[in-house]
Amino acid sequence: MVEIMAMRAWVEPVVAGSQVASAFYDTALLLVVKNFYNQTNSTAPSHVMEDAQQKAVSNFYVIYNLVLGLSPLVSAYGLSKLGDKVHRKIPICVSLLGYLGSKFLLLLLILLDWPIEVMYGAAAFNGLTGGFTTFWAGIMALGSLGSSESRRSLRLIIVEMVYGLAGFLGSMASGYLFVSFSYHYREGTVLVSCSIACYAFCLLYSAFVLTVPKPAASCPDKAKSVEEYGSQLPAHTGGTEGAQPSASSNQTPVTPSKLIIVMLFVAAILYDLAVVGAMNVLPLFLIREPLSWNAVEIGHGNAAGYMIFITSFLGVFVFSKFFKDITMIMIGVVSFSAGILIMAFVRWTFLFYIARAVMLFALIPLPTIRSMLSKHVEGSSYGKVFVLLQLTLVTTGVVTSTAYNKIYQSTLNWHSGFCFVLSFLAGCLSLLPLSIVAIKQRSSTGSFQLSTK
């Protein structure tokens, strides 16, 4: 009975189901939008049509991502606060309801020949119900609650790995589903229907099966525990000399902890800027010359991207035995930066997969940053802290998406991989705040050891 209750606290089924649904939806939306603008410009010469289609699809995603990214600002913090104070499942269930409704609108668009602008309304509905911002913050809060500090990085990367495996399988299947049933049904109907079915399962599972795990015993605030330890020193050492180290040990962790939190936020923003910017223009890069991928090849390419969830998990599993969290984050940043620089010069399919292979540890930074942040806040504030980070990342992502799409359009005929070079530079910049964190951690640890001697 105890084992069954423990299994019901696993968030993995929700993560897996929602990511398969998302993979189906992303492929369907891209191809539906591409086909829509292809028909619109069908009378133009082929080379003119391709450039016009690229710009039209890019402009669609600029507005779509703006709506999708900004609309959660209205509701995400409130939903996460409700999750902290009332029930942890509220942010997850409400955001899944929004997912379900927005995907249903895409199905109606396909069946009823609605204008493509309907998807802006779908994005708004998704965002106003929390969207991925609230959903993922809720998942991370549940994952952190049931794990100890020493194993939290591994626990969160396991959740990310499940997310990636599900995305891999969904992406592999999405292209085939889109092509296989296009002769019998309207293109995308079966794919979007499968996405809706997966989201419905996730919503029902979250509402009626998923339980909130009990907080792990070893999840205290790191800074607080150091202060409490320092305050106990006079009782053991006694005298005036013992009181002085106690005072210094109480004061030492406070400033570094605040600085560490700020620097982790800055590093997360810069790294997310690099990743989001590159990944937003990557689908456009793949469907134009010289690659000119079709639906099946796009599915394979997306699946290759999801492989980093497995390799990043293995990386954390091994690296956590030898390195600190901050070192693992830096390894992940270097992995992504090197891979995206190669992507900037991709002209053949095999080179795309080489670039993806170099990014094998690219997933490590963000979940490990979340793990480090959770060690500096109380468990009752996980939801708020994670959603603040997610809102910051989403807001940055919206601005980045818009800027990158415009830059991509401007550099399309000059160097289509220029945006990837910008992402390489942003990734390198994120190493600066991470270096400050590493230095502060080293100095605060040294101070603490001196104060306890």
Side-chain angles (χ1 to χ4, degrees):
M1 188 65 181
V2 176
E3 291 181 358
I4 294 175
M5 291 302 295
M7 290 175 65
R8 288 182 60 189
W10 292 355
V11 294
E12 283 80 353
V14 181
V15 172
S18 64
Q19 185 53 19
V20 168
S22 179
F24 288 166
Y25 173 78
D26 289 344
T27 300
L29 180 63
L30 175 62
L31 294 172
V32 166
V33 172
K34 178 188 173 184
N35 289 343
F36 175 83
Y37 287 112
N38 187 42
Q39 293 169 5
T40 301
N41 300 284
S42 58
T43 58
S46 59
H47 67 281
V48 175
M49 184 176 67
E50 184 180 17
D51 286 347
Q53 182 191 65
Q54 282 276 302
K55 290 182 179 179
V57 173
S58 178
N59 286 330
F60 168 83
Y61 273 103
V62 166
I63 300 173
Y64 181 83
N65 290 328
L66 272 172
V67 176
L68 191 64
L70 293 178
S71 50
L73 296 175
V74 178
S75 58
Y77 185 78
L79 286 171
S80 293
K81 197 170 182 180
L82 278 176
D84 284 338
K85 292 187 175 181
V86 181
H87 202 289
R88 293 284 182 185
K89 294 200 294 183
I90 289 176
I92 296 174
C93 290
V94 173
S95 55
L96 283 172
L97 185 63
Y99 274 125
L100 194 60
S102 62
K103 277 49 179 178
F104 188 69
L105 281 175
L106 178 58
L107 182 62
L108 292 178
L109 180 149
I110 296 170
L111 294 176
L112 303 177
D113 289 323
W114 285 353
I116 200 69
E117 288 76 15
V118 168
M119 294 315 300
Y120 301 147
F125 180 73
N126 190 0
L128 290 173
T129 52
F132 183 78
T133 302
T134 304
F135 173 75
W136 201 241
I139 292 292
M140 289 291 104
L142 288 184
S144 298
L145 272 177
S147 59
S148 62
E149 276 192 6
S150 61
R151 296 185 62 82
R152 191 165 300 154
S153 294
L154 187 61
R155 174 72 182 103
L156 297 186
I157 201 70
I158 287 173
V159 174
E160 297 270 6
M161 184 189 68
V162 171
Y163 177 93
L165 282 173
F168 171 81
L169 295 174
S171 294
M172 285 293 290
S174 63
Y176 291 106
L177 286 171
F178 188 89
V179 172
S180 300
F181 294 95
S182 61
Y183 300 106
H184 305 286
Y185 305 95
R186 287 176 179 258
E187 286 190 335
T189 303
V190 174
L191 201 53
V192 178
S193 297
C194 290
S195 177
I196 290 171
C198 289
Y199 277 124
F201 161 77
C202 293
L203 180 59
L204 292 173
Y205 184 93
S206 299
F208 302 109
V209 179
L210 183 66
T211 59
V212 178
K214 293 181 180 179
S218 57
C219 294
D221 178 24
K222 185 177 180 181
K224 183 179 178 181
S225 64
V226 174
E227 290 177 4
E228 289 175 350
Y229 182 83
S231 65
Q232 293 173 0
L233 289 177
H236 296 286
T237 57
T240 307
E241 294 180 0
Q244 292 172 350
S246 172
S248 66
S249 65
N250 278 335
Q251 295 171 0
T252 300
V254 177
T255 303
S257 293
K258 291 180 179 179
L259 182 60
I260 285 172
I261 290 172
V262 172
M263 288 297 102
L264 286 175
F265 264 74
V266 172
I269 290 168
L270 287 171
Y271 184 71
D272 194 62
L273 184 153
V275 174
V276 170
M279 294 304 109
N280 263 279
V281 300
L282 184 60
L284 304 175
F285 181 77
L286 297 177
I287 61 176
R288 80 178 300 272
E289 292 182 348
L291 295 178
S292 300
W293 281 7
N294 58 32
V296 174
E297 289 171 322
I298 289 172
H300 288 168
N302 289 339
Y306 283 116
M307 288 300 293
I308 67 168
F309 288 83
I310 301 171
T311 53
S312 294
F313 161 73
L314 294 174
V316 171
F317 183 77
V318 175
F319 296 154
S320 61
K321 300 178 186 296
F322 306 100
F323 303 122
K324 294 182 178 180
D325 284 351
I326 192 65
T327 306
M328 293 193 295
I329 295 171
M330 289 181 170
I331 290 172
V333 171
V334 171
S335 174
F336 172 80
S337 300
I340 207 63
L341 183 61
I342 296 172
M343 191 71 75
F345 303 99
V346 165
R347 292 296 177 269
W348 305 278
T349 296
F350 80 90
L351 200 55
F352 168 86
Y353 287 105
I354 290 175
R356 278 300 198 184
V358 174
M359 297 182 199
L360 76 170
F361 299 131
L363 185 69
I364 291 177
L366 287 179
T368 311
I369 285 174
R370 290 188 182 97
S371 174
M372 289 187 69
L373 285 171
S374 71
K375 297 172 186 178
H376 290 82
V377 297
E378 296 287 349
S380 59
S381 300
Y382 285 165
K384 287 183 288 187
V385 170
F386 287 146
V387 84
L388 282 174
L389 175 62
Q390 200 66 35
L391 282 171
T392 304
L393 297 182
V394 168
T395 305
T396 304
V398 168
V399 176
T400 302
S401 175
T402 304
Y404 266 68
N405 273 281
K406 292 300 181 184
I407 293 171
Y408 179 74
Q409 291 178 25
S410 301
T411 58
L412 192 60
N413 298 318
W414 170 58
H415 180 50
S416 57
F418 180 72
C419 287
F420 301 140
V421 176
L422 292 180
S423 288
F424 165 75
L425 296 174
C428 292
L429 281 176
S430 69
L431 291 171
L432 294 177
L434 292 174
S435 300
I436 295 174
V437 172
I439 293 169
K440 284 298 180 181
Q441 280 189 331
R442 196 175 294 117
S443 63
S444 62
T445 302
S447 301
F448 174 69
Q449 289 174 344
L450 286 173
S451 67
T452 56
K453 287 182 179 179

